[in-house]
């Protein structure tokens, strides 16, 4: 018997759940499919969101010869075999190649298709779970339309599960399946937007219990067949960078709950090193001088986390996240150093004034090194006015105090000192 996910795979657009932003009435992909004029396309999105299903539906609308390859196990030889069929009676109306997981093809393998895509002998529909702008050869990107498939909502997955139950009832078992709606909603919720995973869980729930005449798919069976959510985390994928980005932006935005949520994703993935590094960056980049002691406290919590390791490390990590998200914010430090670095890279910033240069060697005075330097500690309040910046940028301002109590105190102090 076919796996349930294949058995219930939709054969028309009306049965595809989700993706209304591209498949809804009047949307681009929907119009392309209905026109039967198929062009090169790249389907990009998480697993179980309908990429293969839609590709199969498209294949039905064309009279081109269909080939399917999965780049995970396909080789250059497989591509050459398809190319060798070009121009024969078998392919006189052209070839439609569906290439799944194209990110697993290297540049040479992708380039081998380019000539035939360009002249129209092969129409390519490829799918990938990774950002195509990072993984697909630019020449193929420029000749393709990219459609992003989004993670399904719980409602979308629920609809797909109900449809699957009806198909199993009518075409496989020829009897009704007794189930609690809460059990189906639970399976949908824990699938994390992956319909294929939800269907696999449903298949286990049904076929492992169906011989029991009193069987009812209740919440207990649903929990037994779904041990954990479909959370996935690949350190080299979009999700890695997206999660770290959302983590820092939530702390920067002072949303404690969101910050803890993204921390939980990173903890679940076991990525201790990245969490610690990012927390130390945030302490200086986003909190900075608004709460100067934050970096000291966070550093201690990071050290504790690294010594403890998971699972205990989650506790000091959570402490650090809550502290940073709840702290006043200032980016004055990073703005100051980046502004200075920009000058170093792009302008004539001049020579260091002679009175600031090193004078700890014989003959320094003959070169006028340090001879006019004024030692601040010899003056009232340990301050004396003198030039520190080079002549070319003598009036340059890099640091602007942030709007927080700590930096206002610093600003007032310097203002009084220099007056």
């Amino acid at each position: 018997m076919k796996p349930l996910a294949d058995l219930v795979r939709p054969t028309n657009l009306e049965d595809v759940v989700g993706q209304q932003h591209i498949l809804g009435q009047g949307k681009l992909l929907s119009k392309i499919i209905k026109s039967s004029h198929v062009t090169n396309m790249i389907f990009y999105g998480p697993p179980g969101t309908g990429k293969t299903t839609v590709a199969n539906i498209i294949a039905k609308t064309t009279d081109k010869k269909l080939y399917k390859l999965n780049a995970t196990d396909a080789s250059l030889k497989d591509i050459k075999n398809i190319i060798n069929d070009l121009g024969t009676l078998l392919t006189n109306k052209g070839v439609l190649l569906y290439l799944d997981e194209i990110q697993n093809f290297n540049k040479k393998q992708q380039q081998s298709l380019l000539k035939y895509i360009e002249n129209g002998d092969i129409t390519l529909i490829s799918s990938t779970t990774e950002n195509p702008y990072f993984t697909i050869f630019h020449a193929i990107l420029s000749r393709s339309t990219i459609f992003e498939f989004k993670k399904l909502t719980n409602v979308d997955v629920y609809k797909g599960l109900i449809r699957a139950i009806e198909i199993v009832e009518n075409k496989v078992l020829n009897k009704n399946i007794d189930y609690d709606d809460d059990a189906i909603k639970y399976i949908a919720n824990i699938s994390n937007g992956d319909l294929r995973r939800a269907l696999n869980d449903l298949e286990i729930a049904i076929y492992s219990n169906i011989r029991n005449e009193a069987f009812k798919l209740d919440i207990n069976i649903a929990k037994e067949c779904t041990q954990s959510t479909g959370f996935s985390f690949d350190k080299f994928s979009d999700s890695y960078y997206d999660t770290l980005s959302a983590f820092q932006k939530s702390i920067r935005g002072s949303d404690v709950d969101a910050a803890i949520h993204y921390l939980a994703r990173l903890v679940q993935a076991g990525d201790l090193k990245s969490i610690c590094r990012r927390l130390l960056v945030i302490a200086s980049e986003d909190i900075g001088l608004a709460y100067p002691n934050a970096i000291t406290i966070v550093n201690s919590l990071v050290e504790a986390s690294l010594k403890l390791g998971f699972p205990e490390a989650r506790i000091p990590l959570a402490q650090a996240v809550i502290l940073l998200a709840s702290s006043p914010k200032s980016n004055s430090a990073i703005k100051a150093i980046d502004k200075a670095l920009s000058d170093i890279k792009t302008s004539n910033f001049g020579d260091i004034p002679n009175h600031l240069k090193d004078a700890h060697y014989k003959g320094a005075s003959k070169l006028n090194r340090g001879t006019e330097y004024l030692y601040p500690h010899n003056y009232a309040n340990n301050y004396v006015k003198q030039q520190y910046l080079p002549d070319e940028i003598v009036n340059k301002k890099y640091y602007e105090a942030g709007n927080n109590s700590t930096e206002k105190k610093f600003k007032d102090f310097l203002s009084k000192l220099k007056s």
Side-chain angles (χ1 to χ4, degrees):
M1 183 185 295
K2 282 185 177 182
L4 183 60
D6 287 336
L7 181 68
V8 304
R9 190 183 296 280
T11 56
N12 56 72
L13 284 183
E14 290 70 26
D15 290 330
V16 177
V17 296
Q19 313 310 335
Q20 289 303 296
H21 64 292
I22 52 176
L23 293 175
Q25 185 68 29
K27 298 300 182 180
L28 181 58
L29 184 53
S30 176
K31 290 192 290 186
I32 289 174
I33 295 172
K34 290 175 181 177
S35 74
S36 298
H37 181 70
V38 182
T39 58
N40 300 313
M41 290 181 274
I42 297 170
F43 294 165
Y44 155 54
T49 53
K51 299 187 296 297
T52 302
T53 295
V54 173
N56 287 339
I57 292 172
I58 292 174
K60 288 173 56 182
T61 69
T62 177
D63 53 5
K64 295 176 184 290
K65 172 64 177 175
L66 175 65
Y67 292 86
K68 291 183 180 181
L69 291 178
N70 189 306
T72 304
D73 52 24
S75 66
L76 199 57
K77 182 180 178 182
D78 295 307
I79 297 175
K80 288 179 179 179
N81 289 338
I82 296 172
I83 292 171
N84 289 336
D85 285 343
L86 295 175
T88 65
L89 286 175
L90 189 66
T91 62
N92 65 330
K93 293 184 179 180
V95 164
L96 177 65
L97 170 61
Y98 175 55
L99 181 57
D100 197 12
E101 305 292 348
I102 189 176
Q103 75 275 4
N104 290 312
F105 263 10
N106 60 36
K107 187 175 180 180
K108 184 177 180 181
Q109 289 171 308
Q110 292 185 38
Q111 284 179 315
S112 67
L113 292 167
L114 190 57
K115 172 184 173 182
Y116 305 97
I117 292 172
E118 204 161 37
N119 64 23
D121 286 340
I122 293 178
T123 300
L124 177 68
I125 299 178
S126 57
S127 65
T128 176
T129 56
E130 298 182 14
N131 192 322
Y133 293 100
F134 298 154
T135 57
I136 298 180
F137 184 45
H138 178 74
I140 290 180
L141 281 179
S142 66
R143 290 162 177 80
S144 306
T145 303
I146 298 174
F147 292 97
E148 182 177 3
F149 283 62
K150 298 183 183 296
K151 183 180 288 189
L152 299 178
T153 66
N154 291 346
V155 173
D156 291 332
V157 178
Y158 173 82
K159 289 178 181 177
L161 291 174
I162 295 299
R163 175 179 173 275
I165 290 173
E166 292 172 353
I167 291 174
V168 171
E169 288 176 334
N170 297 325
K171 295 185 178 181
V172 181
L173 301 177
N174 294 317
K175 68 174 184 178
N176 291 335
I177 297 172
D178 192 10
Y179 63 86
D180 286 336
D181 202 50
D182 285 348
I184 306 304
K185 288 179 178 176
Y186 179 84
I187 294 174
N189 183 57
I190 207 165
S191 71
N192 196 31
D194 184 339
L195 179 56
R196 187 188 301 115
R197 184 179 189 278
L199 289 170
N200 290 342
D201 290 340
L202 179 66
E203 183 176 21
I204 293 170
I206 292 175
Y207 290 110
S208 62
N209 294 279
I210 198 62
R211 291 186 179 181
N212 180 0
E213 290 297 325
F215 164 63
K216 182 177 185 179
L217 205 173
D218 58 21
I219 191 69
N220 291 325
I221 291 176
K223 288 182 177 179
E224 182 183 22
C225 297
T226 53
Q227 297 300 317
S228 63
T229 64
F231 174 77
S232 62
F233 188 94
D234 180 350
K235 194 171 181 181
F236 301 100
S237 71
D238 275 359
S239 61
Y240 170 74
Y241 298 103
D242 289 346
T243 304
L244 286 173
S245 176
F247 179 55
Q248 179 162 1
K249 287 172 182 173
S250 297
I251 294 175
R252 181 185 296 150
S254 300
D255 191 321
V256 179
D257 297 310
I260 285 291
H261 169 79
Y262 292 116
L263 171 65
R265 292 194 187 197
L266 295 166
V267 168
Q268 185 66 23
D271 193 20
L272 180 56
K273 185 177 179 180
S274 291
I275 300 171
C276 292
R277 182 181 181 279
R278 190 57 62 109
L279 286 172
L280 290 170
V281 169
I282 293 168
S284 290
E285 180 180 347
D286 296 305
I287 283 74
L289 292 168
Y291 182 20
N293 284 337
I295 184 68
T296 304
I297 299 171
V298 168
N299 187 58
S300 296
L301 292 168
V302 161
E303 287 184 0
S305 300
L306 292 170
K307 288 178 181 177
L308 288 170
F310 286 132
E312 289 82 0
R314 75 191 190 282
I315 306 168
L317 291 176
Q319 186 179 346
V321 167
I322 294 169
L323 171 75
L324 293 175
S326 305
S327 295
K329 307 296 189 293
S330 172
N331 68 342
S332 59
I334 187 174
K335 286 173 67 178
I337 185 60
D338 284 353
K339 193 174 180 180
L341 284 169
S342 177
D343 274 359
I344 298 298
K345 294 174 183 176
T346 62
S347 67
N348 176 17
F349 45 81
D351 194 18
I352 298 170
N354 274 340
H355 62 281
L356 299 183
K357 291 181 178 180
D358 179 29
H360 293 86
Y361 58 91
K362 188 177 181 180
S365 60
K366 293 180 180 179
L367 297 173
N368 200 27
R369 301 293 195 260
T371 54
E372 297 180 12
Y373 174 62
L374 304 178
Y375 188 55
H377 295 296
N378 289 337
Y379 297 85
N381 300 316
N382 303 304
Y383 174 77
V384 60
K385 187 175 180 179
Q386 63 184 324
Q387 181 179 332
Y388 289 96
L389 280 170
D391 291 338
E392 285 81 353
I393 56 171
V394 67
N395 294 316
K396 192 76 175 185
K397 297 292 182 186
Y398 292 113
Y399 171 65
E400 297 290 340
N403 187 23
N404 57 79
S405 60
T406 303
E407 288 186 87
K408 284 180 180 177
K409 290 178 182 177
F410 291 164
K411 184 178 181 180
D412 291 342
F413 167 75
L414 289 172
S415 178
K416 290 177 182 178
L417 184 69
K418 294 179 181 182
S419 65

